[in-house]
Amino acid sequence: MSRCSPALTALLLGTVISLHAVEQPAELDLRAKNQPLSIVLETIADQCSAGLVVQRNVHERLDEKVTLIGRKVTWAEATRWLADEYRLTMKIVGEHLQISDADLEFRARLVSHTYDIRTLTLAMGSFPGPDLDIPEPGGVGSRLLPPIEPDSVQPINDFVELIQRFIAPTTWTIEGVGIKEFQTSLIIIQVPEIHQRIAEFIAQLERTAARQVVVRCYRLPAAAPLPSVLDANAWTAVLKTVAAPVGVVLSSDEQRNHHFSGTQRLIIADADVNQEAFDPIVSLISEGLAVDVETHVTNAGVVTTTRLTTASKLNTTLSVLKNQQGQQLTPLDLVDLHQDRIRDTRVIPSGGAAIYPFAGQFYALSVEVLDFTKKP
Amino acid sequence: MLKPLLLVSALSTAAHALDVVGEVPYLENRYRAAWHAAPLSTVLKDLEKQCAPLSTTHTIDNLADRLEITLIDRARVRMRDTLELLERTQEIRFTAEPLKLTVETWTDYRDRKRRLVNLALRDYGLFLNPPDFFAPNLGYDNASSSGGGGGFSLFAADTGDHHAGRGPDPSEVVDWLRGLAGNADATLRGNGNLHVMITAEEETAIRAALTEQQQRLLQRTAWSVSYGTLPAGQTLSTTGMCTPAEAQALRPRLQSLRRLTVSAMNGQRVHAIDGHQQALIDDLDVVNYQFDPATSVLTTGVAMELRPVIGTEFVYLSYLLSWVDPLPSSTTELTNPARVKAGSSSTTTTTTTTDLPPEAGKVPKPGDPPRREDKTTTSTTSSEGGDLRPGVTVSLSKPVLWTWKPRGETMLPKDRALIFASEHPAGTAVMILEALP
């Protein structure tokens, strides 16, 4: 009885193993003439040296007759053909070529994730600044500030539509896939690679919404007259002569905001006669600097609508009303206020500044655009 | 990070292994399947030959001739592998026991495995609804409203506690969780306990989803605002949005430094104040010919009110920072002088009736009305005239305040701080708003 040498045994064993090694071939040979699709799939399985397993509920599609001649078809091309024509997927799992329903395969990979998009849906308000006028008793002038003007809220459904329209639009009708509002956030059930695209999309929207403008107000030392608008280079040279800003405003693109700082005091602005007595009307008066800006970033620069007001040199004269007997009835504070005011709109280059001459002084409003869409 | 969800559907069969009860030798038998679109009944007969007597459910019996199976092996494989492959691809479940092999549909198997689970949703912060805390107003918000002035509250300065309205609708929660559990039977009871019939796998999936919600709801941020002044003439080159390092470098340069810190849940409005309250008479009314002093409370100092909402790369931050310093103030005296009260009078009217004698020359007949005369007397009496009303003098406070209140809403990158600056009687006032770890 002859015995095989160990080397021969190893060679034979290796041959047997290699005969059964499942392998995804680089190219496939696909030929069929009016044959059921199932035959084509068995042919592919043979070329992979693999068994074949077909997922439930796709057998009807395997009965369809196929005629094709494909030589040197890549695996990717064959996979795409099956997906496009028959909504089937094909992949090697273990020792088998597994044929599955594309939608079912898709559903098997679904995961749920919550996206908190309140940063995109919160209404951004406008914050107008004060006028610094002497208040008119009984009129709105005595208000320190006009009311805040809230913008409209961006409906969360707008984002649902955006996501469904631009991120994998054909997948949203697949059973199991979903997008739903929950507690001001979105719960989305999708496959991981689409979740990644959604997350990046939302982050991109956030970066776009985050564009802001920093407006700084400086009081310049008396100097030679400057142009009404300075570009970044010219402003940088002027800025070296200034110690610190007198006001800073941070506003989002197309948002109105203001800076006000100054002195406020109560005055007896008026008196009404009430039940034979004088009823004093107390009001509030402010002096200081108010910078109210509304910015709109464009390619040419920042379109800046400015409401710049200074109120200063406040003098209050006390006037006293007396009766015929010389008795004091009521004092009144008569206010003498110097006010400078400019309301205009200028296009200021980012990094540059607008110059405002005011009663012998120069004020500069510099703008800096914070754009987070441009990655470093 | 994405949290995988075991979607409770037929597809979740991918997540299981074969159920084996005891020692089952036939699972190690080797078999080469060759089922080309074979009916399930044929497959089951082959399995019965290779394994053990089959036990099938009513649903499987109904499917036996309708379900086709294609499974072709190129070599003999372990019966365990064949059964697991069938489970993974045909939505059926096997339970292998030494003397029998039970086969059922995935739905039957799932329903059989479901048991009552009590999920305490409050443990996941689902109904957490921390209140919003609006900061009280510092200094003047608007003119006093005695007769003139708008008299409205600009910043809705209200120290009352308000809930932010973030609590979910219980029915919305139940719908969401039932959806995760394949429309399982679920009831929400008091105290946020959800009683639901689910499998262990479904429970794992639901708890994973709840944990994700918990992480979102319990996100917390801490913030600090530093208030101080730079002496006049000192340079301040960094304002607006800056790095934490720049903010850190500026802080030691500030004089009279005060610092407030708060911590906020995601979306909660919080505030902190370092203030001084003073009661004063700053207005008068006239009531019943007399001065009626109106007392109010004036608060000065520094305050911060923040509402952070955490986004992907940014924090949507609503802020109202206040800095109000008292300056030398004045008072004014108002006098309501002594005067004589106006007199008052009363009028009395009296009517008297007198019976008259018969008219001369006429004889009264029975039934004639008697002759009478009405006489009315009116008299006016003056009373209380000449009383003296005493005079009143009231001292009215007219405080003078330096005020600066930057406010707004910003999308703040998570690695940035804000620096605001303003003129101040002592030089340049600076506020640094930054996130704390």
Side-chain angles (χ1 to χ4, degrees), chain A residues 50 52 54 56 59 96 107 113-114 125 142 148 206-207 212 216 219 243 261-262 264 275-276 333, chain B residues 11 70 72-74 90 149 212-213 236 239 288 312-313 339 398 401 403 407 409-411 422-423:
Chain A
L52 178 68
V54 177
R56 179 176 175 170
H59 277 90
H96 296 86
R107 288 172 57 193
H113 184 56
T114 305
S142 54
I148 296 164
E206 210 178 57
R207 287 194 285 269
Q212 291 162 85
R216 299 176 180 88
R219 189 176 291 118
S261 70
Q264 295 181 291
Q275 295 176 342
E276 300 178 14
D333 293 314
Chain B
L11 293 169
T70 294
I72 304 165
D73 288 329
R74 292 182 66 84
Q90 308 304 321
E212 187 193 37
Q213 286 293 328
L236 177 61
T239 52
N288 196 21
T312 308
E313 298 171 359
R339 69 188 70 190
K398 295 192 292 185
L401 306 175
T403 302
R407 73 170 316 182
E409 291 154 346
T410 181
M411 293 277 271
S422 168
E423 291 180 296

Side-chain angles (χ1 to χ4, degrees), chain A residues 20 42 45-46 49-57 59 62 93 96 98 104 107-108 110-116 118-119 122-125 127 137-139 142-148 176 180-185 187 189 192 195 202-203 206-207 209-210 212 214 216 219 242-248 250 252 255 257 259-268 272 274-284 289 318 323 327-331 333 370 372, chain B residues 1-5 7 9 11 36-37 63 67-75 85 88-92 126 140-144 146-150 152 154-155 166-168 172-173 175-176 212-213 216-217 233-236 239-241 266-267 282-289 291 307 309-314 316 319 327 332-339 396-405 407-411 413 416 418-423 428:
Chain A
H20 292 286
E42 285 181 30
D46 284 342
S49 302
L52 178 68
V53 63
V54 177
Q55 200 164 28
R56 179 176 175 170
N57 296 335
H59 277 90
L62 302 192
V93 180
H96 296 86
Q98 183 170 313
L104 278 173
R107 288 172 57 193
L110 292 176
V111 293
S112 172
H113 184 56
T114 305
Y115 297 87
D116 194 336
R118 275 180 295 173
T119 53
L122 287 172
M124 195 165 270
F127 304 95
S142 54
R143 294 173 179 169
L144 169 61
L145 291 175
I148 296 164
K180 188 184 178 192
E181 182 186 352
F182 180 76
Q183 273 190 281
T184 67
S185 59
I187 291 181
I189 299 174
H195 272 302
I202 289 173
E206 210 178 57
R207 287 194 285 269
Q212 291 162 85
V214 181
R216 299 176 180 88
R219 189 176 291 118
V242 187
V246 292
V248 178
L250 180 64
S252 293
Q255 186 191 26
N257 204 344
H259 161 87
F260 168 75
S261 70
T263 305
Q264 295 181 291
R265 69 187 75 217
L266 293 182
I267 58 167
I268 300 173
D272 287 342
N274 183 5
Q275 295 176 342
E276 300 178 14
F278 282 95
D279 179 2
I281 297 174
V282 178
S283 194
L284 180 69
L289 171 70
L318 192 66
N323 61 13
Q327 292 175 310
Q328 293 189 1
L329 300 178
T330 185
D333 293 314
L370 307 173
F372 300 97
Chain B
M1 290 295 293
L2 296 182
K3 301 291 178 190
L5 167 70
L7 283 175
S9 68
L11 293 169
H36 296 259
L63 277 174
L67 181 62
E68 289 182 339
I69 292 178
T70 294
L71 172 55
I72 304 165
D73 288 329
R74 292 182 66 84
L85 189 55
R88 202 165 62 236
T89 57
Q90 308 304 321
E91 299 174 23
I92 53 179
L126 213 56
Y140 301 121
D141 210 12
N142 55 282
S144 298
S146 68
F152 74 108
L154 177 72
F155 297 129
R166 291 181 294 275
E172 192 183 23
V173 174
D175 286 348
W176 170 54
E212 187 193 37
Q213 286 293 328
R216 185 178 71 84
L217 293 168
Q234 281 207 10
T235 58
L236 177 61
T239 52
M241 215 169 270
N266 191 8
D282 63 354
D283 201 358
L284 296 173
D285 289 329
V286 176
V287 176
N288 196 21
Y289 303 93
F291 277 159
R307 184 188 178 215
V309 175
I310 302 168
T312 308
E313 298 171 359
F314 298 83
Y316 183 102
Y319 60 91
L327 298 175
T332 296
E333 290 194 343
L334 286 96
T335 302
N336 192 8
R339 69 188 70 190
L396 204 68
S397 296
K398 295 192 292 185
V400 181
L401 306 175
W402 179 81
T403 302
W404 179 34
K405 295 179 181 177
R407 73 170 316 182
E409 291 154 346
T410 181
M411 293 277 271
R416 298 291 176 91
L418 295 177
I419 297 178
F420 296 98
S422 168
E423 291 180 296
T428 302

Side-chain angles (χ1 to χ4, degrees), chain B residues 280-287 290-296 392-396:
Chain B
L280 45 85
I281 298 171
D282 63 354
D283 201 358
L284 296 173
D285 289 329
V286 176
V287 176
Q290 296 287 332
F291 277 159
D292 178 13
T295 305
S296 62
V392 175
T393 299
V394 177
S395 183
L396 204 68

